[in-house]
Amino acid sequence: MTTPNGLDHVRPVFRRILLQGAVLAVALAVVGGVVGLLVAGGPGLAGGLIGAVMSVVFCGLTAVSVLLAIRFSHGQMISGAFFGTIMGTFLVKFVLFIVVLVSLKDRDWVSTPVLAVAIIVGVVGSLVIDVSVIARSRVPIGVSLPGDGADDGAHGAARTDAEKRGPRA
């Protein structure tokens, strides 16, 4: 059995982000494809579907990069392996995004406005998922606070009068 590390509690949070991102991908592909088809015909359908796939893949890579970075750094957030994995994934996403957009530029079979709207909706949806999942997660921070019982012996009953009064103005 492996020894737990300090970031084991983060894995379920990012797995939840990936799961909800998959639901977003399906919804965005259906809605983006149908609206694109109604607005611009076949090129609109292609733009909506490609935009949905692009936005969700690129945003999902963020969660995957954090999960991989935790594994590569052995749970040490302040390490070169952690930051290198995150930044390396960011650079790959950036270059890949530019390459895909340049390759789709001026193609007759893709509606660029529908593609742009689908990407924007996907990115905003992904940000909403990230914020809502992280805000609802209960991740321990490993800090003992006054009154937790960890330091009651040192300051619980043996406080001096100066400590009880607090700092003077």
Side-chain angles (χ1 to χ4, degrees), residues 77-139:
M77 273 186 72
I78 304 178
S79 73
F82 187 85
F83 290 114
T85 304
I86 301 292
M87 289 306 298
T89 306
F90 172 76
L91 290 174
V92 167
K93 288 187 327 183
F94 182 72
V95 169
L96 195 59
F97 185 75
I98 298 297
V99 167
V100 169
L101 286 184
V102 167
S103 67
L104 290 176
K105 181 182 176 190
D106 299 327
R107 301 285 183 210
D108 292 336
W109 54 273
V110 176
S111 172
T112 309
V114 174
L115 174 69
V117 169
I119 291 172
I120 291 169
V121 169
V123 169
V124 170
S126 178
L127 291 173
V128 169
I129 288 172
D130 290 348
V131 169
S132 67
V133 168
I134 290 173
R136 292 181 192 157
S137 66
R138 306 277 298 167
V139 178

Side-chain angles (χ1 to χ4, degrees), residues 24-36 45 49 52:
L24 173 68
V26 171
L28 187 58
V30 170
V31 173
V34 169
V35 169
L45 174 65
L49 293 176

Side-chain angles (χ1 to χ4, degrees), residues 35-95:
V35 169
L37 183 65
L38 294 175
V39 170
L45 174 65
L49 293 176
I50 292 170
V53 169
M54 282 179 61
S55 64
V56 174
V57 165
F58 289 122
C59 295
L61 281 174
T62 301
V64 169
S65 71
V66 172
L67 291 172
L68 290 174
I70 291 169
R71 176 171 288 161
F72 294 153
S73 68
H74 303 290
Q76 299 297 320
M77 273 186 72
I78 304 178
S79 73
F82 187 85
F83 290 114
T85 304
I86 301 292
M87 289 306 298
T89 306
F90 172 76
L91 290 174
V92 167
K93 288 187 327 183
F94 182 72
V95 169

